[in-house]
Amino acid sequence: MDAAEVRRSTYEAVLRLRDAPFVTRRPAYFSPAAAAQDESNHLASFGAFAQTLLPLEYTGWVEECGAHVTSCYVGDWSSLHKVVVRGPQARAFLAWLGMRDLSRFELGQIKHHVQLDGNGWVASEGIVCRVGEEEFLYTAGSADWLLWQLGQGSWDAEAEDVSPDLFIFGVQGPAALDTLEKLTGESLRDIGFSRSRPSRVDGVPVRVLRTGISGELGYELHGSAAHADAIWSAVVASGRPLGIRELGLRSQPVQHIEAGIATNGLDYLPASLLTPGAPRQFRRGTPGGSFVPENGVTDYFRKPGELGWFRGGVPDREFLGRDALAAAAAKGEPQRTLMGLRWNAEDVSGILTAPLGKGSLPDPMELPRGRGPAFDQVLVGGRRVGVSTGRTVSVNLRSTISLVVIDPGHASPGTEVVVLWGRPGTAQREVRATVTALPFKPDRRRTDVTAL
C-alpha cells in the first residue's frame, strides 16, 4: 500500500470511527504536510481541526496572529472537506442547492456557496471553484449536506470525496503575492479576486486561488497530498526573507473575526445537524457561553441575512429554502443584523486577572480565543437583544472583539451594550461593549495587484 492509499485508508477509518474514544480506537490523522511542519513545531503540541491534527503554534500565537497584517503567513486548511462534483447536471445541482447564481460561472472562478434547508436556515456553506466544463471543487468544513442532497435526487451528476488526496495551504498578507511569485517563478498578477488558475512549483502542478479569509491580500494553494511536504517547505523558504510565519491552529480563527466573517460550527450551528446530512467533521459536545436557548437547538441556527449574506432581498431564482425566505420576507419579519463588538478593556482585564484576586472565579478567557463554539447573551437594560460569538483578543487592533447577531434597533455603531460572560451557574460577569461596523479593519482583499 503506497502513501496515498494509507492516507485514504486512515481518513476513511477516522470517519467510520468518529464516535469511538480517540485514544483507544480512533487512528491519528495528520496533515499531508505533517513532516515539514514538524520541523517548526518545537512544542510538539497538536489540536483537532475537523478530523485532522495540526500544530497548535510554531513561534507563538501573538506573532502568528499579526503575520497577515505585517507580512504574511502560511496556514494549513487541508482539514477542510473537499468534494468534486462532476457531470452534465453538476452546475444545475449546485445552483439548486445554493443561493448563489451560477448562470455566469467562468472556468477558474470561485463563488461563496451558501446552502439552506427547507426552513431557510443555513445548512452548510463553503466555496465552489469551477475547475472544468462539467467539474467543480467544493471545499467546506463539511460537505455532508451536499453529498446527502445529491443522493436524494436524480441528478445526472456524481460526487467524489477527495479530502485525503489534496492539500490546501493559505498564504495571506501583504507579502503573500511576492512570496508566491518567488515560489512559482512567474507573475500571478493576472489572478483577480475570486479567480484561480494552474501553476507549478518546481515542476509540481498546483492551483493558485485568490481568496480573502484574512481580510487582506491573500491566496490559497491546492495540490496533490503526495507533494504537500515539499510545497509547504518551499513556501516557507520563499517567504522567509519577507517575514513569513507558519500559522498554528491556535491562531487560525482570529483573522475571521477581524474580517467580520462568521464561521460554520463556531459562530452558528448548521441546520443540517437535524438531518441525515449532519456534518461528521465538527467536534462533539455542546456550545459554551452564557446564552440559554428558548426554542431548543434552532436558536443556534441562522438565516443568511443574519450572517451578512444576501441582505439585498430574496434572490429571484429557484433554490432549496427560497420559499421559506420569501414567506418570511412577505410577513415583514424583523431580521437581526451581523455587527461587531469591542469589549471594554477594563472589564476584560478583570476577568483575566480574577485568579490572582479574591472572590468567586468567573469562567476563564482563553487566549487569543476559546476553542469550539461559544454563544454569549447581549443585553440592553437587562433585556436580551443579541448573541455574541467568536470572542477573541486581536493583537492587530489591541482590543477584545467579537461578532454579534443583534436586533435592528440596537445595531447602530456606537450603541452601548452588555455581554454576559460565563456559563449559567458560574460567577457570571457583565462586560461593557460597543457595537461597531464590520469589518473591524480595512478590507484589502480586492487590492489592485497590477499597481503593486
Side-chain angles (χ1 to χ4, degrees), residues 61 65-66 68-69 213-216 251-262 266-267 338-349 351-352 365-370 372 374-376 378 387-405 417 419 421 431-442:
W61 69 264
C65 282
H68 63 285
V69 173
I213 58 172
S214 67
E216 302 288 337
S251 303
Q252 275 190 357
V254 171
Q255 60 191 311
H256 297 171
I257 304 301
E258 293 176 341
I261 300 173
L266 293 178
D267 297 299
L338 184 71
M339 299 293 289
L341 290 180
R342 284 182 179 264
W343 295 34
N344 180 274
E346 181 181 351
D347 294 349
V348 170
S349 296
I351 296 172
L352 291 173
M365 280 188 174
E366 294 186 66
L367 298 179
R369 59 171 290 171
F375 297 74
D376 293 308
V378 177
V387 183
S388 169
T389 60
R391 190 277 321 162
T392 187
V393 170
S394 168
V395 298
N396 298 303
L397 301 170
R398 301 300 176 94
S399 181
T400 300
I401 59 176
S402 70
L403 303 180
V404 61
V405 175
V417 300
V419 180
W421 175 261
V431 180
R432 292 166 289 175
T434 304
V435 176
T436 186
L438 294 175
F440 285 97
K441 58 184 182 59

Side-chain angles (χ1 to χ4, degrees), residues 7 26 29-32 47-54 78-79 249:
R7 181 169 173 77
R26 187 175 175 187
Y29 186 73
F30 294 93
S31 163
F49 176 177
Q51 78 285 349
T52 310
L53 298 180
L54 293 174
S78 302
S79 306
L249 181 61

